[in-house]
Amino acid sequence: MPAEKEAGADQVKRLQRCINDLVSLLALPASWSGLEPPQIVESLLDGLMRLLALDLAYAYWSAPIDSIPVEILRVARAELSFADSDGICRTIRQCVGDTPDSLADFLPQSIADQEFRLVPVRLGLHGELGLIVAGSQRPDFPSQTEKLILSVAANQAAIGLHEARLLSEQRRVAVDLDERVAERTREIQRSNIKLRKEIAERRRAEHELRRSEAKHRVVVETASDAVVSMNEAGVIILANAATKRIFGYEPEELIGRPLTLLMPESLRGLHENGYKRYVASGQKRVSWQGTEFMALRASGEEFAVEVSFGEMTADDQKIFTGFIRDISEKKLADAALAKARAELANIARITSLAELTASIAHEVNQPLSGIVTNASTCLRMLSGDPPNIDGARETARRTIRDGNRASDVITRLRTLFSRKEINFEIVDLKEAAREVVALSLSELQRNEIIVRQEFADALPPVKGDRIQLQQVILNLLRNASDAMTGVHDRPRLLSVGLAREDDQVSLRVRDTGAGFDPKVAEKLFESFYTTKHDGMGIGLSVSRSIVEAHGGRLWGAVNDGPGSTFGFSIPCAPSSGEERTVSAHSSERPEAIPKYNRRRPSNG
Amino acid sequence: MKQHDNFADQCCWNGILPMLMEDCGSVWHDTSMTPQPLLVSVVDDDESVRESLPDLLREFGFACEVFSSAEAFLASDAINETRCLILDVVMPGMGGPELRRQLKFRRLEIPTIFITAQRDTTVRSRMLEQGAVECLFKPFSDTSLLTALNSAFQAE
């Protein structure tokens, strides 16, 4: 039949067209990639309008991200486009309302005085995306295929919109991220710059500090003095290399040790007290600039140092620094210098070597002369006929004595001109005087001198050099004896007296000789050349020097009667309760320098 | 008499001669006078010298007196009798040369032999210039003393 065939052919054509349309629809999303939702919806509406030959197509959807829902209206005929599109949209919306699209095929609606058939299709799985409304004035609208196309279109739209939304979200997120990254990057850059500046600053400061520290370190490390710093607790926190040389400790060994390690044990308490006092009251008992202390080496040796202190505060902590100089060598040098000076003074006592030699020769030649003469005489006597044996014997005896005299001269010279360090010992002047008198007695008696000793009973001892004091006594005895050689009209009386006078012991030698002119008394004490018996007896000037070196005095006076009295007094030795140390070279008294001036009596 | 090479030995021999006599006979020099030994005075503050010289001088045949100081000598009677003076140069108090001056003031010209322990040739030449017979350095030998003594007496 041709009508059935036509109907079948039409159906086939319709189906073909439908499939074509569907294929077109299915191809649409590909063209939507990258488009914004509005563009997608527009594209869809345009596609629908074309495909279904719609009179109008309306879309309403709310993009959750955008706050304002979007409406798009497409109309086929021109006259509709002049009408109020907003009103049409409203009308359509009102018409559709909440109607689920599955129930109604179409919704009749009059728009701009024309009848339309509206077919709403919801977008989204649950219609949450929006809504598409296809409108046609055809009475057969919508056909089955058209409904199919609409729903597929709606699906595609949903997919497209979804994807677009996702994409747009992604984009938004990406933009956001970019934004954030950029911001963060900017921040980082900013802080980077700041950091760099800070680092540069810090580096500069560090560099400065290091340079300054290096400078100071050089000073401290190369200082020949030891530099030691301690904290408030008295613990060493810094020590320089010189501590090795001076104290015998490596600097590292000292860190953490107490400062008192470097002090002799006996002085540690003193230091602690002084430090405590300073911390409490700010009072300094010693000068902080160059004070002498005793220090202690690692070996245990105590030695002298000179110390200067400094105090500083760092981080609220007090730090004390000491600059320590080892002056033990300097002290040795000073002592050696003092000794050299003393020796020089010693030598200065001898006016000149030539004179000394002359004096020695002079004094020794006297007994030598005696020896030669006596021996010559002896030979002559023995050659006599008969030989004068007795005479020869006498000369021989005198020879021996002169020999001894010569020897004594030398000995005395050596004693006198040796280092005049007074060897202080406790001396009993009574015993010493008795000894001297006993030694001189035979000679004195040969000179027909009567010797009397008047020694007080209880005599305190004196502190002095026994030998030197005996030399003085001998000198006085001999002077007294000599003074009486010309005395014939009265007894030659020599009295030696010892007595205590307050805190001194005095010895007097009194003679009955010729006396002396008080006006020339001082000259007596200048005489070096005194003569006579032992050749090199010590003169009054030396005697006075010796006595004065003992802290006493020597004097002479003319007697009331004939003769003169010479004497000296020496301070008593202090009692054991008040023992004081006496050094050989007492610093309180300048060492008496005997004047060994050779005074030659004028002889043209 | 044996001829001797030097005068000193001759004097020495002559000096011994008196010893051979029982008494200390007169010195050969002055035979015309009564045999009395000539007085030689010794003035020296040194004891060794004062002890030793007299015996030697007596061996020579002289008489001898000793004084420990120039003052003592001046104060004594010996100044008029002394025929020769043996004098120390340096003494405490008045020295030898000063004593000579003092003697000059008293118109006493006594031949003087100086003896001194100072070995100083300038002292010797000075003493000789001032008219001393000799200036001997201690210690001196007996022969040199004898020589000096003979010079002293020869000068008379």
Side-chain angles (χ1 to χ4, degrees), chain A residues 362 365-370 372-374 376-377 380-381 384 398 401-402 405 446 529 532-533 601 603-604, chain B residues 12 19 45-48 51-52 55-56 59-60 89-93 97 117-119 126 138-140 142:
Chain A
H362 183 282
N365 279 337
Q366 308 281 26
L368 279 181
S369 185
V372 168
T373 306
N374 282 317
S376 307
T377 311
R380 286 175 183 268
M381 285 177 172
R398 289 200 297 255
R401 199 173 53 173
D402 284 341
R405 275 188 194 147
R446 206 162 20 85
Y529 179 72
K532 298 150 195 177
H533 309 270
N603 49 14
Chain B
C12 196
M19 266 178 61
D45 62 300
D46 185 71
E47 191 182 356
S48 305
E51 281 179 347
S52 55
D55 277 349
L56 184 62
E59 289 297 307
F60 290 156
V89 174
V90 176
M91 287 182 286
Q118 306 166 271
R119 284 176 179 267
R126 195 156 30 102
K138 295 176 191 173
F140 46 82
D142 52 349

Side-chain angles (χ1 to χ4, degrees), chain A residues 385-417:
Chain A
D385 187 15
N388 182 352
I389 303 295
D390 288 331
R393 192 179 292 121
E394 182 59 26
T395 58
R397 199 185 54 80
R398 289 200 297 255
T399 302
I400 292 170
R401 199 173 53 173
D402 284 341
N404 288 330
R405 275 188 194 147
S407 168
D408 285 345
V409 166
I410 305 292
T411 306
R412 237 170 267 277
L413 273 169
R414 289 178 65 209
T415 312
L416 281 174
F417 288 101

Side-chain angles (χ1 to χ4, degrees), chain B residues 53-150:
Chain B
L53 271 181
D55 277 349
L56 184 62
L57 287 167
R58 284 184 200 116
E59 289 297 307
F60 290 156
F62 297 102
C64 180
E65 291 224 19
V66 288
F67 302 90
S68 63
S69 69
E71 296 90 330
F73 176 67
L74 282 173
S76 72
D77 300 325
I79 51 172
N80 296 313
E81 306 292 327
T82 302
R83 302 299 297 277
C84 179
L85 201 49
I86 298 181
L87 195 47
D88 191 3
V89 174
V90 176
M91 287 182 286
M94 192 188 301
E98 177 61 28
L99 174 57
R100 283 200 84 227
R101 241 196 312 278
Q102 287 292 324
L103 291 173
K104 266 199 196 128
F105 291 157
R106 295 164 203 228
R107 300 279 189 276
L108 289 165
E109 292 272 0
I110 309 174
T112 307
I113 299 169
F114 279 106
I115 54 173
T116 176
Q118 306 166 271
R119 284 176 179 267
D120 190 345
T121 47
T122 55
V123 169
R124 183 170 180 277
S125 43
R126 195 156 30 102
M127 294 300 112
L128 292 176
E129 270 170 35
Q130 289 174 4
V133 171
E134 181 55 86
C135 181
L136 299 171
F137 295 133
K138 295 176 191 173
F140 46 82
S141 65
D142 52 349
T143 47
S144 53
L145 180 60
L146 198 52
T147 309
L149 282 166
N150 284 322

